[in-house]
RNA sequence: AGGCGCGUGGCUCAGUGGUAGAGCGCUUCCUUGACACGGAAGAGGUCGGUGGUUCAAUUCCACCCGCGCCUACCA
């Protein structure tokens, strides 16, 4: 595509722009339901249209894209379906806040206009998010983009709601629910975040009707006493038994209420007597149902006390609490105030303290739905990764409670239920009914509540494919193969998809669920805008490039853990992208000449890198198959940096300088780089495409993203080459260490004699002499059977060899002695340990034979090394040497 | 309260029943035509504590301590 030479440093901004459009316009992201190839399907966890993508999205979606690109390169017809979530309460809040800035409330606009305004916001926010998804390089099939309030998906929502109703699994009734006084709506249990906070436990006296002592109750919420309809004690509690059946006088209001017995009362807690406020406490509500007690609601939907609150009507709940406590104190009814940790529920979206409130809501009966879901997981039809999440899922499912699905909001799917104004008949229907089926009346009023936003997202794997129509997409891509999302929405979303998918789409929604952790800052702290430690993916992209961010996120993705993302880690992987870029630059500078097939007896470096490439390929494949993105990233990092760049590229320079070897060397260099790029592509799509497009190619696929993912070729695994290369490396490092230890001038070429006892060893050194000279910076290299002796020579054992360097003013003998002395200590220590172990009869008898054998080998090896070290030390005139 | 997870070099984290690894940071040296977002050579850890299983424990088990997350109707 572009032929100008590569910039010296990788410039992500220049490169990234070009490729996304090319991929998208070429149709590489588009799944083909008619394809004969194996399919692979997954859906995006649809981002909320509340703003823009955050790092948590980038994390999950990057890992999904790695899987999607990998599967696509492996030849699968891959569908990764994009979409957005209307996010009822969250989005409504955003728009309400905007209105507030204009001094308006949603009521000032009215429902219809408010909804129009939210739709405008949805376009804006949604557009921004879709753009961000493209910048991240995600290979989403944009021809199938969905929104949870699209007509197609809304139809699925009505179908499922009515279906549940017809199956008797939806009911409406007056129950205590979690209520957010600020949002003015009911919340599900999951939308409440409970936190223990410092509060008080007030002991309040309720006098007997005859003015006697009565009973002292303990409560954390004195303001609710206005709605008390009883006091309960434990039936076996001696202290209060005489009161059961009598009446006490409610303070403030003077109402008489009965003392009842019920074993739900904890005798240990407080005074052993509890006030019963059925309309304002979930527990009390249940008790009241058991005991046949009435409820009195003393609060409205805004948390303000109502006409039942007597003198406190019109006061806010917290204000009323203070005032009531003051009054009780004044009347001598406040017996005691003790500090107490109170678990307080907060609205997940706005953090307001949640109020348990008795109201008419719609619920889904969960137990009948949960059973098939549990079975599906037990039977392995759905697999959780990491597997530990399976237990969490079971725990939740087995203790499932009914799901409150109605919300008193304006933004969302309006519940398809109508009430006849004439006869009060409730009609639940897929389409608006023309007349009341009971009385024929024409005045039908639709329910004003909307559904919990998770109701529609719970259908996402099939509603997006056209369900309830039996579309081709549905037949081909349902169930999905894979689902990935944050561990924090296992219950919110994953559990509901499983339950609803099984019930309505007839099968599990996906086969494998990967639950990822929460992205934290570099010190493992939770990210938050208020703390200012949050990372904006777009900002990272702008500064370091998309590939660096993607690779970092993948490298952090250890299943089951929360990744800690910091600038330093990012910089490290940014450097890696640059390293790859420069390796490619080197290759491109050297690939111009003639190329010959890599056939016949190849030089060691070529055989070695090809062998290592197979190992890396196999390791990456294995890692991805197990969703070990971190392992895949690490394997590639080390292959490219340590093996390809540090050793192979240096060694291949020697081959390229040899006119006879160069043509084959170019081929191996090209093939190795090309295959490494394909292995890296799912993790860093942009830089790999950019480089790949510049490589000399004849025909083949038009993009690396549709090129085949490499498979390890066992024929290229060369154990002899790996052993030999290890020996060569050992020699090079040994000589370099000598140079560094004695501070030989970096550019000074030193003359070295390498000696080895066996002819084969000497032959090896002779054969590798050019490489050895280049990598170790040697002048002359002599090979001998025995190292030259004499006090003017430094001799250093390296593996099976001995390296001898004439000092000729190069070395500091004292430094050498110190270093060898340290090495001697280390070797002796290990030797001592091994000998001790081998001297232990039990070890020799019971340990695995190969462990014993290898220990013996190691001892022989160490003894030989020790002998040489001591020989050298003696030659240097070490006073301690024996 | 219950469940789950974590505690490995200065920081963030891999890993393993049998000689402790990485990245960053640190020390010394080096601008040699791929790369200073670089190269070379190094220093640095009794793998949270105590017991147990084992020939052998950082790795398995129990308990404890510290941290985090999730679920809970003790007002």
């Amino acid at each position: 595509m572009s032929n100008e030479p590569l910039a010296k440093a990788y410039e992500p901004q220049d490169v990234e722009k070009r490729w996304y459009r090319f991929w998208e316009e070429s149709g590489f992201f588009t799944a083909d339901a008619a394809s004969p190839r194996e399919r692979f399907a997954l859906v995006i966890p649809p981002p909320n249209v509340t703003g823009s993508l955050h790092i948590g999205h980038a994390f999950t979606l990057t890992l999904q894209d790695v899987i999607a690109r990998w599967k696509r390169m492996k030849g699968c017809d891959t569908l990764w379906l994009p979409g957005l979530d209307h996010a009822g309460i969250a989005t409504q809040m955003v728009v309400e806040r905007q209105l507030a800035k204009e001094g308006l409330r949603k009521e000032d606009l009215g429902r219809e206009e408010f909804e129009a305004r939210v739709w405008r916001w949805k376009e804006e926010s949604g557009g921004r998010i879709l753009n961000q998804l493209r910048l991240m390089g995600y290979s989403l099939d944009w021809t199938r983009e969905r929104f949870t309030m699209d007509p197609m998906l809304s139809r699925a929502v009505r179908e499922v709601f009515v279906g549940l109703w017809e199956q008797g699994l939806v009911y409406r009734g007056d129950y205590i629910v979690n209520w957010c006084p600020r949002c003015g709506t009911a919340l599900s249990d999951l939308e409440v975040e409970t936190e223990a906070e410092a509060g008080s436990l007030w002991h309040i006296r309720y006098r007997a009707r005859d003015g006697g002592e009565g009973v002292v109750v303990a409560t954390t919420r004195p303001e609710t006493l206005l709605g008390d309809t009883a006091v309960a004690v434990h039936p076996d509690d001696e202290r209060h038994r005489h009161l059961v059946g009598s009446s006490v006088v409610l303070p403030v209001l003077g109402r008489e209420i009965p003392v009842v017995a019920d074993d739900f009362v904890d005798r240990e807690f407080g005074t052993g007597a509890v006030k019963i406020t059925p309309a304002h406490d979930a527990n009390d509500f249940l008790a009241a149902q058991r005991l046949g007690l009435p409820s009195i609601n003393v609060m409205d939907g805004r948390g303000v006390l109502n006409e039942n609150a007597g003198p406190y009507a019109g006061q806010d709940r917290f204000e009323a609490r203070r005032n009531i406590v003051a009054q009780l104190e004044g009347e001598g009814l406040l017996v005691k105030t003790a500090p107490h940790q109170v678990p307080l529920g907060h609205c997940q979206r706005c953090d307001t303290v949640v109020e348990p409130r008795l109201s008419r809501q719609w619920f889904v009966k969960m137990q009948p739905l949960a059973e098939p879901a549990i079975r599906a997981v037990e039977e392995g039809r759905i697999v959780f990764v990491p597997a530990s999440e399976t237990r969490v899922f079971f725990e939740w499912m087995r203790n499932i409670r009914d799901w409150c699905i109605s919300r008193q909001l304006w933004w969302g799917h309006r519940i398809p239920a109508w009430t006849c104004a004439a006869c009060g008949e409730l009609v639940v229907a897929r389409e608006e009914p023309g007349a009341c089926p009971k009385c024929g009346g024409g005045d039908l009023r639709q329910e004003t509540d909307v559904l919990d936003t998770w109701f529609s997202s719970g259908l996402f794997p099939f509603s997006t494919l056209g369900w309830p129509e039996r579309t081709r997409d549905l037949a081909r891509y349902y169930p999905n193969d894979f689902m990935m999302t944050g561990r924090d929405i296992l219950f919110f979303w994953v559990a509901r998809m499983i339950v609803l998918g099984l019930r309505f789409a007839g099968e599990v929604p996906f086969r494998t669920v990967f639950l990822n952790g929460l992205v934290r800052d570099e010190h493992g702290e939770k990210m938050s805008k208020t703390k200012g430690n949050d990372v904006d993916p777009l900002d990272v992209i702008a500064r370091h490039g998309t590939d660096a961010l993607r690779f970092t996120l993948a490298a952090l993705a250890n299943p089951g853990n929360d990744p800690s993302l910091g600038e330093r880690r990012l910089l490290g992987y940014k450097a890696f992208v640059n390293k790859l870029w420069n390796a490619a630059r080197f290759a491109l500078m050297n690939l111009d000449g003639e190329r010959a097939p890599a056939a016949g007896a190849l030089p060691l470096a070529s055989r070695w890198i090809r062998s290592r490439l197979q190992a890396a390929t196999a390791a990456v494949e294995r890692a991805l198959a197990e969703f070990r993105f971190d392992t895949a990233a690490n394997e590639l990092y080390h292959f490219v940096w340590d093996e390809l760049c540090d050793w192979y590229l240096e060694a291949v320079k020697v081959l390229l300088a040899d006119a006879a070897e160069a043509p084959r060397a170019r081929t191996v260099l090209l093939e190795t780089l090309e295959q490494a790029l394909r292995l890296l592509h799912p993790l860093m799509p942009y830089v790999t495409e950019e480089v790949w497009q510049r490589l000399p190619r004849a025909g083949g696929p038009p993009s690396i993203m549709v090129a085949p993912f490499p498979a390890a070729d066992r024929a290229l695994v060369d154990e002899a080459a790996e052993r030999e290369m290890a020996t060569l490396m050992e020699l090079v490092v040994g000589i370099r260490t000598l140079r560094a230890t004695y501070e030989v001038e970096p550019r000074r070429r030193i003359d070295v004699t390498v000696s080895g006892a066996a002819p084969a060893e000497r032959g090896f050194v002779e054969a590798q002499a050019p490489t050895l000279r280049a990598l170790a910076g040697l002048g002359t290299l002599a090979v001998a059977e025995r190292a030259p002796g004499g006090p003017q020579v430094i001799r250093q054992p390296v593996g099976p060899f001995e390296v001898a360097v004439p000092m000729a003013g190069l070395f500091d003998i004292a430094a050498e002695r110190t270093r060898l002395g340290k090495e001697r200590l280390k070797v002796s220590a290990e030797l001592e340990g091994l000998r001790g172990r081998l001297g232990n009869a039990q070890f020799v008898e019971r340990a695995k034979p190969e462990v014993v054998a290898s220990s013996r080998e190691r001892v022989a090896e160490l003894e030989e090394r020790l002998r040489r070290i001591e020989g050298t030390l003696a030659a240097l005139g070490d006073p301690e040497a024996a």
Side-chain angles (χ1 to χ4, degrees), chain A residues 374 377-378 389-399:
Chain A
I374 292 168
V377 175
E378 279 171 347
E389 298 295 340
T390 315
R391 275 188 70 151
V392 181
F393 175 81
F394 283 143
E395 192 67 24
W396 166 257
M397 277 300 188
R398 288 177 178 144
N399 299 300

Side-chain angles (χ1 to χ4, degrees), chain A residues 257-269:
Chain A
I257 55 174
V259 177
V260 299
D262 193 288
D263 58 13
F264 90 101
V265 177
D266 180 350
R267 279 174 282 181
E268 306 299 315
F269 188 87

Side-chain angles (χ1 to χ4, degrees), chain A residues 22 55 79 124 140 172 278 485 491-492 541 602 615 675 797 851:
Chain A
F22 166 67
I55 196 71
L79 169 60
E124 185 189 329
L140 292 153
R172 188 175 67 157
T485 191
F491 308 138
F492 277 113
I541 287 178
L602 291 174
Q675 182 163 331
V851 172

Side-chain angles (χ1 to χ4, degrees), chain A residues 286-363:
Chain A
L286 294 174
Q289 282 195 323
R290 274 197 305 274
L291 299 163
L293 298 166
S295 325
I296 301 174
N297 193 333
V298 296
M299 227 179 271
D300 69 12
R302 296 283 152 190
V304 173
L305 300 207
N306 64 17
E307 68 281 3
N308 294 328
Y312 295 98
Q315 292 188 12
D316 172 78
R317 51 188 171 149
F318 297 116
E319 183 191 357
R321 176 183 299 175
R322 281 191 302 275
N323 294 336
I324 287 173
V325 167
Q327 179 181 347
L328 293 171
E329 200 168 7
E331 293 176 4
L333 294 174
L334 186 63
V335 177
K336 182 170 143 193
T337 307
H340 186 67
Q341 287 288 106
V342 192
L344 265 189
H346 294 260
C347 173
Q348 185 194 36
R349 294 294 163 192
C350 74
D351 207 40
T352 303
V353 174
V354 163
E355 192 63 41
R357 181 163 196 249
L358 184 60
S359 55
R360 175 161 297 190
Q361 303 290 344
W362 295 80
F363 298 84

